[in-house]
Amino acid sequence: MPIREVSTRAYADQKSGTAGLRKKVAVFQQPHYLENFLQTIFDVDTSLRGKTLIVGGDGRYFNREAIHTAIAMAAANGVARVVVGQGGLLSTPAASHLIRLRNAGGGFLFTASHNPAGPDGDFGIKYNVAGGGQAAEGLTARLYEHSKTIARYRIVEGANIDLDRRCTQRLEEMEVEVIDCVEDYAALMQTLFDFDRMRDWIRKGHSLRFDAMHAVTGPYAQRILVELLGAPAAAVQNACPLEDFGGGHPDPNLIYARHLVDLVHSPASPDLAAASDGDGDRNMILGRGIFISPGDSLAMLAAHLQKLPGYASGLKGVARSMPTCRAVDRVAQALGIECHETPTGWKFFANLLDAGRATLCGEESFGTSSSHTREKDGLWAVLAWINVLAATGLSVGDLAQQHWRRFGRHYFVRHDYESLSAAAAGGVMQALAAAAPGLAGRRYDRWTVSAADDFEYRDPIDGSIAVNQGLRVVFGDAARVVLRISGTGTEGATLRLYLERYESAADALGWEPTAALAPLAAVAEQLARIAELTGRKAPSVIT
Ligand code: G16
C-alpha cells in the first residue's frame, strides 16, 4: 500500500486546552482537520519514531474513523507498533497505564471526556507522552505553533485494519496489535487492592451500584466488579458503551448523575454508589444518604490509603489542584507529608508523581488517582473506596462523619456559568484581577481577606512557570473564593466560581452544604459581580 504525502492547509484553532484538543464533531470532520493535528504531533514529537504508540478512545461517535486514520498515519510516520484496544476502546487511565507498561513513545486517546457525544456532540484528542502523562504545557505550545503552518501530512492509503479481532496485523513496516482493553488494567488493580477482602465484603451482603453511563468504563466495571469481585450483574448499570452515550451526559456529578443521588436517598440505597465519565477518568462517590465531594474523597482516601496493599508503605505526598478544597491539606499535615497545590489540569501532577513527591492526587472536577498511572482514574477511586470500606468496616457515612470530627469540614461548591461570550467571561476576570491588589485586609460578612492574587505555579521539579491559573481570594483557613475560565468547553466561555468554607469539627456536623455556603456565595457576588457584568442571575450548573 502506498504511503502518500497529502497537501493540506492549516487550521488556526488547534490549540489544546486543559486536556487536549476538544471540538465539536463537525469541526473534526472537516477535510484534513484530524490528519493535520496528528501530523503535527508526529512532526513535533519525533520520539514516536521507531517506538510503540498506544491508541484508543471512549467509543464515542467518530472514534473508529479517527483510530483508522491514526493507525494509517502512524505507519506512514515511522511508528514501529501500534497497540490498540479491541473495538477501539481504551479508558484514559488504562491507556496511560499501557504507555508505561509497554514503554511506549506515547498515546492517542480519542475522547472529549464527559462532554456529550454523537454527530452533534464533541470529539477530542488527548496526547499522552512517554511515561503516560499528558503532554506538558511547553509541548502543547510547540504543537500549536506548528499546527498553524502545517502544509502536508503522511498516510498509508487504503489501510484496512480489523479493530474487532484480537490479533497482530501488519501495515507496511508497522505492527498493529489489537488487545483486550481491560486485561492489563485489571491486573494492575489486583496489585493495588485486597481483592479477597473486597470479595468478602460483597459476599457478606454489602451492595454496590456503579453507573458506567454507556461510556467506556462498562467493560472494565463488568470484568472487575462483577467477574472478579463477585458483585451481582445488576450492580453495574448502563455497561454497554454507545456512540452517543445513550443520549446522556456522562459527567458524574450532582446534575448528570442525579438518579444516583436520588437512589442513595431512597430505601433501595446501596452501601456504595458510584459513576464514571465518558473516558473513565472521573469518579463520583456516594453512600447511603450522602454524597462525598471530590475534595472530601481525596482527603478521606489520603487518611486511609495506607490500609490498602499497594500503599502499605505510606504516602510520599499528596497534591490537589488550586480550586480543589483544602481538606487534604489537613490530612497531609497530620501525616507529616508534602502537600502540593497545582494549576487545574492533571498534567501538572505528572512531574510530582514521577519524582516520587506525591502518591495521591485529586481535583474538584471529580478526578482522583495515584502514582499507579499518570491520569486520573475513575474505577481506581471506586475500588479504593470499596477497599477502604472493607478494611475499616465503616459505612461511607460513618467514615465521613469520623473524618469531619477529626479534621473539620470543608464545604465546597462550584458554580458554572456556561456559554458566555469570551468578552463577558474575560470582563469578570479582568475586573476581579484589577481589584485583587487592594483586597487584603478587607472584611466581607464574617471573613477577612488574607490574600488575593492570580495563581501562578512554579513546578518544583523542572522549574517551569504557569501563570494566570485562576483568581483566588483567600480568607485565611476559613474560606476561599476562586474564579477561572474553563479550558475544556467547546461552546463560548465557561466561567467557574469555586466556593470553599471551612468549619472546625465542633461546628461542622449537621450542616447542609448549600446553607453553609450561601453567605459565601453572596460575598463572591460582591467580589466578582458576575450577575452585574454578565447579566446572568444564576449559574447554569451547580455541582
Ligand atoms: C480535564 C482535565 C482536568 C480538569 C478538568 C476541568 O478533565 O483533565 O485536569 O480538572 O478537565 O477543566 P476545566 O475546569 O478547565 O474545564 P477531563 O475529565 O475533561 O479530561
Side-chain angles (χ1 to χ4, degrees):
M1 275 163 277
I3 291 178
R4 201 155 75 99
E5 193 150 300
V6 181
S7 298
T8 183
R9 66 164 183 85
Y11 290 90
D13 64 344
Q14 300 195 329
K15 191 173 178 125
S16 295
T18 316
L21 184 68
R22 220 168 267 187
K23 303 275 178 197
K24 289 276 163 213
V25 165
V27 174
F28 272 99
Q29 285 173 325
Q30 296 173 94
H32 312 316
Y33 190 90
L34 172 66
E35 291 86 343
N36 283 10
F37 189 66
L38 296 179
Q39 187 64 49
T40 297
I41 297 172
F42 288 123
D43 287 350
V44 172
D45 193 353
T46 50
S47 64
L48 287 174
R49 277 181 216 150
K51 296 292 288 272
T52 295
L53 175 71
I54 307 299
V55 177
D58 61 14
R60 70 178 57 225
Y61 184 81
F62 202 55
N63 189 44
R64 278 177 178 263
E65 289 93 317
I67 288 177
H68 281 295
T69 302
I71 292 174
M73 289 185 66
N77 279 281
V79 170
R81 170 178 283 253
V82 161
V83 175
V84 57
Q86 189 176 12
L89 295 180
L90 274 181
S91 78
T92 290
S96 173
H97 171 54
L98 273 171
I99 294 173
R100 298 163 66 72
L101 190 68
R102 298 297 193 102
N103 193 22
F108 294 157
L109 286 53
F110 294 105
T111 172
S113 188
H114 54 285
N115 295 21
D120 300 324
D122 292 346
F123 194 74
I125 306 175
K126 293 179 177 177
Y127 175 52
N128 285 33
V129 295
Q134 294 172 7
E137 296 267 280
L139 176 55
T140 56
R142 282 191 287 135
L143 291 176
Y144 179 48
E145 279 316 305
H146 186 67
S147 76
K148 293 188 214 165
T149 58
I150 193 161
R152 55 102 193 98
Y153 62 85
R154 288 166 64 78
I155 190 162
V156 172
E157 277 206 316
N160 185 20
I161 294 296
D162 182 352
L163 291 177
D164 295 307
R165 202 161 43 93
R166 267 183 256 164
C167 63
T168 300
Q169 302 160 61
R170 259 203 114 72
L171 185 58
E172 297 296 306
E173 299 300 300
M174 188 179 83
E175 286 194 322
V176 181
E177 191 183 340
V178 180
I179 60 160
D180 175 347
C181 66
V182 181
E183 196 171 317
D184 293 310
Y185 178 83
L188 174 66
M189 292 301 114
Q190 289 172 82
T191 67
L192 302 174
F193 302 119
D194 186 342
F195 271 52
D196 286 337
R197 190 167 220 168
M198 294 155 82
R199 250 190 302 269
D200 208 42
W201 185 78
I202 292 172
R203 201 182 303 123
K204 284 190 175 134
H206 292 101
S207 52
L208 280 178
R209 178 69 64 84
F210 177 81
D211 191 346
M213 299 180 115
H214 287 304
V216 80
T217 46
Y220 293 84
Q222 179 68 30
R223 180 88 52 90
I224 296 171
L225 299 178
V226 178
E227 291 168 33
L228 294 174
L229 288 175
V236 179
Q237 67 185 65
N238 300 322
C240 179
L242 298 175
E243 281 201 333
D244 65 349
F245 300 142
H249 201 140
D251 194 357
N253 63 33
L254 295 173
I255 306 299
Y256 300 116
R258 179 79 225 168
H259 54 285
L260 288 183
V261 181
D262 294 342
L263 176 70
V264 301
H265 285 98
S266 79
S269 175
D271 292 296
L272 180 76
S276 194
D277 71 331
D279 63 329
D281 57 4
R282 297 186 174 205
N283 76 93
M284 181 191 193
I285 301 291
L286 305 111
R288 275 179 211 283
I290 189 168
F291 158 67
I292 303 295
S293 78
D296 268 342
S297 175
L298 177 67
M300 291 168 192
L301 287 179
H304 293 281
L305 215 58
Q306 198 167 357
K307 300 183 175 83
L308 318 187
Y311 306 92
S313 55
L315 304 182
K316 292 177 178 146
V318 291
R320 62 162 173 81
S321 65
M322 184 274 281
T324 305
C325 80
R326 295 174 287 180
V328 75
D329 302 33
R330 291 186 175 254
V331 180
Q333 202 181 17
L335 293 173
I337 56 174
E338 290 182 16
C339 179
H340 302 271
E341 183 175 49
T342 61
T344 294
W346 205 265
K347 60 184 142 206
F348 291 102
F349 295 134
N351 280 348
L352 295 169
L353 291 163
D354 285 347
R357 300 273 297 267
T359 303
L360 178 70
C361 306
E363 293 187 281
E364 52 67 40
S365 53
F366 294 80
T368 329
S369 192
S370 84
S371 47
H372 68 283
T373 185
R374 290 295 176 273
E375 285 280 1
K376 53 190 192 268
D377 189 343
L379 256 182
W380 174 89
V382 177
L383 293 170
W385 267 92
I386 298 173
N387 201 161
V388 166
L389 297 180
T392 59
L394 294 169
S395 68
V396 174
D398 287 346
L399 191 136
Q401 295 284 337
Q402 199 180 75
H403 188 94
W404 293 330
R405 244 175 246 131
R406 176 169 175 207
F407 294 102
R409 181 169 175 185
H410 289 78
Y411 296 93
F412 180 86
V413 75
R414 187 175 98 184
H415 291 183
D416 294 339
Y417 296 81
E418 295 178 336
S419 305
L420 291 171
S421 69
V428 174
M429 295 295 290
Q430 278 155 22
L432 183 57
L439 291 178
R442 288 220 197 149
R443 196 172 168 80
Y444 293 85
D445 195 308
R446 70 214 73 179
W447 298 288
T448 303
V449 177
S450 56
D453 64 3
D454 196 340
F455 181 55
E456 194 173 301
Y457 178 66
R458 185 176 187 283
D459 187 300
I461 314 301
D462 65 17
S464 61
I465 291 177
V467 296
N468 301 328
Q469 295 298 322
L471 300 170
R472 53 181 185 177
V473 181
V474 186
F475 304 90
D477 288 340
R480 276 193 321 164
V481 170
V482 172
L483 197 67
R484 59 180 281 280
I485 295 178
S486 157
T488 58
T490 55
E491 273 175 24
T494 296
L495 193 63
R496 301 205 198 283
L497 172 70
Y498 310 82
L499 305 173
E500 168 197 320
R501 174 177 179 185
Y502 175 72
E503 290 298 328
S504 62
D507 303 323
L509 304 178
W511 279 43
E512 178 47 43
T514 321
L517 289 160
L520 191 62
V523 168
E525 183 51 36
Q526 249 180 293
L527 286 164
R529 296 156 50 214
I530 297 175
E532 179 192 330
L533 297 175
T534 67
R536 296 279 180 90
K537 297 287 173 263
S540 344
V541 178
I542 299 179
T543 51

